[in-house]
């Protein structure tokens, strides 16, 4: 693959703590991405905000306000992980769809592609910049805009199941599944809006567990470490 968008779970980056960051996990991710970059695959990254904020579970709060906090949580994540990547020897750029003073660059598609061509890891933070859109939808949108060959989702779970494996011990994991099956069976790989965007624009996905050894690198190299979603 020439260019990928890697979606990282905020909760997965928190490790066993469940909140904030596990620095060892972040440095392990950085070490893998550096190998991916060195091998010639351009990499953009979107990080969820669940290690700081799960606004949708706050039923008493205005949805727009809750989503705004969630967007800011993804900005904090991107700034921190970007710094980890720089300490690991990579050049980075953090882009947001809204102004954050001097902390980030204002998102521009051409500038993002240029940065990727220059060998930088580009972090897309702040989602779409609007409430009612998840980081899944923001990640698919950015992947399509930059012409990514695939979207890789590194999660706490090791793939796509036909039921919740935490609730159903008989849940079966898919090695491969079509995006139409994901939508028709509501498999909740990503939210429905993002799934339909993938289907309509031919964007394949690979879902795998972040905590498995070298899972990012192995997935980029073509190994099916979790579930492949075809289009």
């Amino acid at each position: 693959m020439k260019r990928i968008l890697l979606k990282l779970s905020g909760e997965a980056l928190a490790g066993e703590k469940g909140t904030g960051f596990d620095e060892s996990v972040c440095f392990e991710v950085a070490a893998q991405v550096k190998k991916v970059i060195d091998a010639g695959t351009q990499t953009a990254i979107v990080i969820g905000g669940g290690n700081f904020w799960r606004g949708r579970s706050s039923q008493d709060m205005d949805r727009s306000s809750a989503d705004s906090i969630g967007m800011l949580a993804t900005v904090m994540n991107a700034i921190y992980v970007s710094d980890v990547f720089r300490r690991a020897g990579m050049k980075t750029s953090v882009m947001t769809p809204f102004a954050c003073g001097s902390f980030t660059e204002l998102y521009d598609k051409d500038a993002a592609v240029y940065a990727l061509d220059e060998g930088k890891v580009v972090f897309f933070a702040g989602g779409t910049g609007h409430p009612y859109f998840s980081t899944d939808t923001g990640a698919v949108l950015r992947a399509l805009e930059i012409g990514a060959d695939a979207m890789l989702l590194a999660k706490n779970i090791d793939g796509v199941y036909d039921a919740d494996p935490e609730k159903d011990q008989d849940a079966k994991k898919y090695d491969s599944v079509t995006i139409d099956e994901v939508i028709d069976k509501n498999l909740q790989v990503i939210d429905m809006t993002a799934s339909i965007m993938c289907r309509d624009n031919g964007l394949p996905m690979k879902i795998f567990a972040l905590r498995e050894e070298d899972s990012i690198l192995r997935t980029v190299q073509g190994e099916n470490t979790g579930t492949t979603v075809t289009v």
Side-chain angles (χ1 to χ4, degrees), residues 22-51:
D22 184 320
E23 191 171 70
S24 64
V25 172
C26 295
F27 271 101
E28 170 58 27
V29 170
Q32 290 188 63
V33 172
K34 189 172 190 308
K35 292 178 182 177
V36 170
I37 294 289
D38 290 345
T41 297
Q42 298 176 2
T43 304
I45 295 179
V46 169
I47 307 173
N51 53 327

Side-chain angles (χ1 to χ4, degrees), residues 136 155 160 182-183 185-192 195:
D136 287 339
K155 294 173 165 273
V160 180
V182 168
I183 294 170
K185 297 178 181 179
N186 192 25
L187 295 178
Q188 299 183 355
V189 177
I190 52 178
D191 71 55
M192 191 61 70
S195 296

Side-chain angles (χ1 to χ4, degrees), residues 4-110:
I4 61 168
L5 187 138
L6 174 63
K7 169 77 165 30
L8 295 171
S9 160
E11 294 97 321
L13 290 179
E16 298 296 334
K17 297 189 298 181
T19 186
F21 301 107
D22 184 320
E23 191 171 70
S24 64
V25 172
C26 295
F27 271 101
E28 170 58 27
V29 170
Q32 290 188 63
V33 172
K34 189 172 190 308
K35 292 178 182 177
V36 170
I37 294 289
D38 290 345
T41 297
Q42 298 176 2
T43 304
I45 295 179
V46 169
I47 307 173
N51 53 327
F52 285 118
W53 181 254
R54 301 292 297 179
R56 293 189 179 189
S57 63
S58 180
Q59 301 298 322
D60 297 328
M61 189 174 189
D62 174 73
R63 172 65 182 273
S64 295
S65 297
D67 284 358
S68 295
I69 296 172
M71 285 183 259
L72 292 175
T74 71
V75 176
M76 291 193 296
N77 280 345
I79 291 172
Y80 175 80
V81 178
S82 169
D83 182 76
V84 170
F85 275 41
R86 290 177 184 176
R87 283 184 276 163
M90 288 170 278
K91 295 180 180 180
T92 67
S93 176
V94 179
M95 293 187 169
T96 51
F98 44 77
C100 289
S102 60
F103 295 115
T104 68
E105 301 175 47
L106 195 60
Y107 172 73
D108 176 82
K109 177 248 183 183
D110 291 336

Side-chain angles (χ1 to χ4, degrees), residues 149-160:
D149 298 311
M151 185 165 78
L152 279 55
L153 293 95
K155 294 173 165 273
N156 272 330
I157 192 168
D158 64 348
V160 180

